[in-house]
Amino acid sequence: MSITFAATPRTRPPDTTARARSRRGRALRRNLTGWGFAAPATALVIGLSIFPAVWAFFISRTRWNGISAARPLGWDNYRNLVQDPDAAAAAQHTLLLTVLFVPGSILLGILLAVALNQKIRLIGFYRTCIFVPYVASAAATGILASFVFNPQFGAANEALRRLGLPQQGFLEDPGQALLVICLIALWGEVGFCTVIYLAALQDIPRELVEAATVDGASRLRVFFHITLPELRPVTVFTAIWQTITAMQLFDLIWTTTRGGPMNSTQTIVYYIYELAFQTQRLGYGAALAYLLFAVTMLLTLGVLFYSRRNGREAF
């Protein structure tokens, strides 16, 4: 009698270590590939934005003219800014420009977007004409506007003369210069608001408008009760964007008035330019730049908090 033992076949355990190593290798290659594409842009952001910003903060706590050795001052530059009458005047001009520019650009943007949302002939040509000033250089806009509003031979005074109205000083009048700059800025920036609102208008569901029309609502009621509420997120975005644009307006002022006449158009950013590059007070100018950054950040966070609290998120 023979006894046969059936040997069970040996199964090799799965090589989990090799599989895990292979997965880690593939993940590493994917990460290296991603960083290979992102590295140039990351280096530019760090080198041209983050590093100068951090360096400017250290400069803001010193007295430095850009040539000799910097002398540490602590927070003295920030304390002196509070008592600086020129900084206060520049802040007032910036605030007035922002108060006039932001609501004006939003209101004009909505009106032009509603007009350009109609089905009329040559609508593409009209939309292009509205947007062209936005893509044009602000420096070119300022140079052109300085000819138009020249008190002696400008086109604006020529038009007033033909209408029998008194001539104006425009950019050479301290009481009018900032208003004229605001008008020029509106002409150059309203195209941006118009395009944003035009895109938002085309995203409004037609069913809402048709249902309101069937219920007997007039076009004015449809505009105020359906169109405007649907545009609230876009309005929050444009308000933040245009506020930052107004507070950082520089090239238009530099090409038209250079802060004059009698410093009536000297804004915060132009005052920073004068401090840093004309009087060589780099530390004091950097401190003012950081104060402007803090104010802009607080305004932006305030608008975002208010919009999210009221269910009007734009970001």
Side-chain angles (χ1 to χ4, degrees), residues 104-250:
S105 62
I106 291 176
L107 182 61
L108 286 175
I110 292 176
L111 294 177
L112 288 173
V114 171
L116 294 177
N117 198 34
Q118 308 301 317
K119 294 180 179 179
I120 56 178
R121 293 184 61 187
L122 301 176
I123 189 63
F125 173 75
Y126 299 140
R127 290 175 179 175
T128 304
C129 290
I130 293 296
F131 192 66
V132 162
Y134 176 72
V135 298
S137 168
T141 303
I143 294 172
L144 175 63
S146 63
F147 284 106
V148 172
F149 291 102
N150 188 286
Q152 285 75 37
F153 51 85
N157 263 338
E158 179 64 24
L160 293 178
R161 193 180 302 115
R162 291 179 181 275
L163 293 173
L165 298 175
Q167 298 184 24
Q168 304 296 323
F170 294 122
L171 293 173
E172 296 183 2
D173 187 337
Q176 300 177 1
L178 194 62
L179 298 177
V180 175
I181 285 179
C182 183
L183 186 64
I184 300 169
L186 283 175
W187 177 71
E189 296 289 335
V190 74
F192 172 77
C193 291
T194 303
V195 170
I196 297 295
Y197 277 114
L198 186 60
L201 284 174
Q202 294 175 356
D203 284 341
I204 295 177
R206 291 182 176 275
E207 294 79 9
L208 290 177
V209 179
E210 291 173 356
T213 305
V214 169
D215 289 342
S218 63
R219 298 183 65 176
L220 200 60
R221 290 178 65 87
V222 169
F223 177 75
F224 281 107
H225 293 281
I226 294 179
T227 304
L228 282 184
E230 291 290 326
L231 295 178
R232 282 174 182 169
V234 179
T235 302
V236 173
F237 168 76
T238 51
I240 294 174
W241 185 271
Q242 296 298 75
T243 300
I244 295 174
T245 301
M247 297 183 72
Q248 297 183 346
L249 191 65
F250 170 78

Side-chain angles (χ1 to χ4, degrees), residues 2 15 39 65 73-74 92 107 109 188 194 202 231 245 265 296:
S2 62
D15 192 355
N65 60 5
L73 293 178
Q92 290 177 359
L107 182 61
T194 303
Q202 294 175 356
L231 295 178
T245 301
T265 59
T296 306

Side-chain angles (χ1 to χ4, degrees), residues 244 247 291-304:
I244 295 174
M247 297 183 72
L291 280 182
L292 177 63
F293 165 75
V295 172
T296 306
M297 180 64 73
L298 288 176
L299 284 176
T300 304
L301 292 177
V303 173
L304 284 177

